[in-house]
């Protein structure tokens, strides 16, 4: 998962429109409200706590806490903007176009991990762009298709678990997860649901409450057993049915495609590349391939609009996507999980080289939504 989250405050929240992702140090736009979220062990209350409707840039700053490294904004229990892995001494920004209403600022790990954030005034519609409208509509179709494949593939996996077929369950694990990983930025935006589906062992302090893909993975690969897993298999199916319902009602904004892809690639290069995601099955390469596919799909839909705004950036990103896909090819293995080698066969040097390639892609990708805003 892109992070583990538990929402503590239930409030009525409006829809919001993502505008851009900003790299640290960018000159502030005088027409954009500036909000600071300083991470601390105590909390991350936004300063100021209220701004007028319209474009807003949130700068997440960490002056020294190792316990709190993420700041996000939620609307209706859905994460609409976030910055993760903001370690001590770093800062990072994200920008949104916000309608009036009450939002939730959230920083996992803090003593007071949530605060209300208020937007006043009246809604302001952004300028329309036909190619961007087409991009968001096509992305919604892509996500819907992937969720359908996820539900079907997971049922193959959970059916094997239910009938006690250990080999069949292992064979179906990576193919099912692939479709979750292609749309992980969307799936992980549902703050209540994603931890139930995709939490790692260290994301859930209470092992009794730990559910989802990785809980099943642990038993199948570490304990080498399907014993006692039927309730977990049933719950995973039910949670993914809920995800399909939620996805059907989501309206995406252009910047959400770029921001989500960029955040996912940042997580791949900083956390997933260590092998912590699929630590029992070592099926990480299948996940990486899915992450790249999903990011490339989002970028590809935005590319026509970007090419008119910044053709050099568009061409650079196209080349880097091609490069990273090419770099993954040597790790394909028809006999391996979902057609890939197991990740324990990839040495530290190769992992670092892959992380460098992902970083080289994520940095220019972070500029896309700002160019299209």
């Amino acid at each position: 998962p892109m992070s583990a989250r538990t929402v503590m405050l239930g409030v009525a929240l409006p829809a919001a429109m993502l505008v851009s992702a900003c790299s640290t140090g960018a000159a502030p736009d005088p027409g954009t409200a500036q909000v600071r979220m300083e991470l601390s062990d105590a909390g991350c209350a936004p300063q100021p706590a209220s701004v007028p409707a319209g474009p807003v840039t949130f700068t997440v700053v960490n002056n020294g806490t190792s316990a709190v490294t993420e700041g996000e904004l939620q609307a209706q229990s859905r994460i609409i903007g976030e910055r993760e892995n903001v370690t001590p001494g770093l800062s990072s920004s994200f920008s949104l176009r916000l309608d009036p209403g009450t939002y939730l600022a959230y920083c996992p790990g803090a003593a007071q991990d949530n605060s209300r954030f208020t937007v006043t005034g009246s809604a302001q519609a952004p300028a329309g762009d036909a190619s961007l409208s087409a991009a968001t509509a096509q992305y919604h179709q892509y996500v819907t298709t992937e969720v359908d494949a996820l539900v079907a593939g997971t049922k193959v996996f959970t059916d094997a678990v239910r009938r006690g077929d250990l080999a069949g369950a292992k064979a179906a694990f990576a193919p099912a997860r692939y479709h979750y990983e292609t749309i992980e930025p969307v799936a992980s935006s549902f703050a209540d649901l994603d931890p139930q589906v995709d939490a790692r062992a260290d994301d859930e302090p209470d092992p009794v409450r730990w559910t989802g893909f990785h809980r099943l993975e642990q038993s199948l690969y570490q304990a080498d057993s399907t014993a006692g897993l039927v309730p977990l298999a049933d719950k995973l199916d039910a949670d993914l049915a809920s995800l399909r319902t939620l996805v059907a009602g989501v309206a995406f904004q252009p910047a959400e495609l770029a921001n989500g892809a960029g955040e996912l690639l940042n997580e791949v290069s900083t956390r997933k590349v260590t092998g912590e995601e699929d630590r029992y099955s070592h099926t990480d390469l299948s996940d990486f391939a899915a992450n790249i596919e999903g990011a490339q799909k989002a970028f590809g839909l935005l590319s026509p609009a970007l090419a008119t705004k910044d053709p050099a950036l568009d061409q650079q990103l196209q080349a880097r996507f091609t490069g990273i896909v090419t770099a993954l090819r040597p790790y394909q293995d028809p006999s391996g999980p979902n057609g890939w080698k197991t990740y324990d066969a990839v040495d530290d040097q190769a992992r670092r080289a892959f992380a460098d390639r992902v970083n080289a892609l994520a940095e220019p990708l972070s500029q896309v939504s700002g160019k299209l805003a």
Side-chain angles (χ1 to χ4, degrees):
M2 294 178 73
S3 66
R5 307 170 176 94
T6 303
V7 180
M8 302 294 291
L9 180 61
V11 291
L13 300 170
M17 293 175 286
L18 293 174
V19 175
S20 62
C22 307
S23 58
T24 304
D29 184 333
T32 301
Q34 302 295 319
V35 176
R36 181 181 176 92
M37 293 178 66
E38 185 164 339
L39 305 179
S40 71
D41 292 346
C44 61
Q47 298 296 328
S50 178
V51 297
V56 186
T57 293
F58 294 82
T59 301
V60 182
V61 181
N62 188 332
N63 285 329
T65 176
S66 58
V68 186
T69 59
E70 176 183 348
E72 63 187 46
L73 195 73
Q74 298 181 4
Q76 297 172 334
S77 295
R78 183 166 182 262
I79 298 154
I80 57 171
E82 65 180 330
R83 280 294 176 263
E84 297 181 321
N85 304 308
V86 184
T87 52
L90 297 183
S91 66
S92 188
S93 301
F94 62 91
S95 295
L96 312 164
R97 181 177 293 274
L98 298 179
D99 288 338
T102 303
Y103 297 77
L104 181 73
Y106 184 56
C107 47
Q112 176 64 42
D113 62 8
N114 63 83
S115 306
R116 291 177 186 244
F117 180 73
T118 305
V119 178
T120 61
S122 56
Q124 300 176 5
D129 184 312
S131 66
L132 292 177
S133 296
T136 56
Q138 291 173 48
Y139 187 68
H140 190 277
Q141 184 178 15
Y142 170 74
V143 171
T144 300
T145 300
E146 285 297 290
V147 172
D148 287 344
L150 169 66
V151 169
T154 300
K155 189 172 187 302
V156 174
F157 169 62
T158 54
D159 280 349
V161 170
R162 280 185 281 264
R163 65 175 180 266
D165 179 0
L166 180 64
K170 287 181 176 180
F173 175 73
R177 272 188 59 75
Y178 188 92
H179 299 288
Y180 194 82
E181 295 294 314
T182 58
I183 59 161
E184 187 172 0
V186 177
S188 66
S189 73
F190 298 106
D192 292 335
L193 187 59
D194 177 57
Q196 299 177 52
V197 172
D198 205 36
R200 303 159 188 166
D202 38 316
D203 292 329
E204 177 48 74
D206 181 358
V208 176
R209 291 169 53 89
W210 184 28
T211 62
F213 276 115
H214 295 303
R215 172 64 185 86
L216 290 161
E217 178 199 10
Q218 182 195 50
S219 287
L220 295 174
Y221 288 89
Q222 191 175 65
D224 222 34
S225 173
T226 62
L229 298 184
V230 171
L232 288 164
D234 292 346
K235 177 169 172 49
L236 180 58
D237 285 336
D239 286 340
L240 294 181
S242 296
L243 176 64
R244 178 156 58 182
T245 300
L246 289 167
V247 162
V250 171
F252 297 109
Q253 298 296 326
E256 191 169 356
L257 278 60
N259 290 345
E263 272 297 288
L264 178 58
L265 293 179
N266 283 331
E267 195 209 5
V268 170
S269 67
T270 56
R271 295 183 63 194
K272 290 187 175 186
V273 75
T274 65
E276 69 170 49
E277 177 82 358
D278 299 312
R279 64 190 69 172
Y280 313 108
S281 63
H282 305 299
T283 56
D284 305 79
L285 284 165
S286 174
D287 281 8
F288 295 166
N291 294 157
I292 298 302
E293 180 197 308
Q296 191 169 22
K297 178 66 176 182
F299 165 71
L301 293 171
L302 297 173
S303 178
L306 179 63
T308 65
K309 301 271 187 176
D310 191 333
L313 179 60
D314 180 66
Q315 291 167 14
Q316 180 188 49
L317 283 164
Q318 296 213 37
R320 291 191 180 177
F321 268 114
T322 299
I324 202 165
V325 169
T326 302
L328 277 174
R329 280 187 191 136
Y331 300 103
Q332 290 180 323
D333 180 357
S335 65
N338 209 26
W340 295 93
K341 293 180 180 180
T342 56
Y343 198 51
D344 50 356
V346 182
D347 63 27
D348 287 343
Q349 182 178 357
R351 293 184 185 195
R352 284 194 297 272
F354 177 68
D356 288 344
R357 277 192 175 271
V358 175
N359 276 327
L361 173 60
E363 191 282 324
L365 190 60
S366 72
Q367 303 173 35
V368 171
S369 51
K371 298 287 184 180
L372 299 180

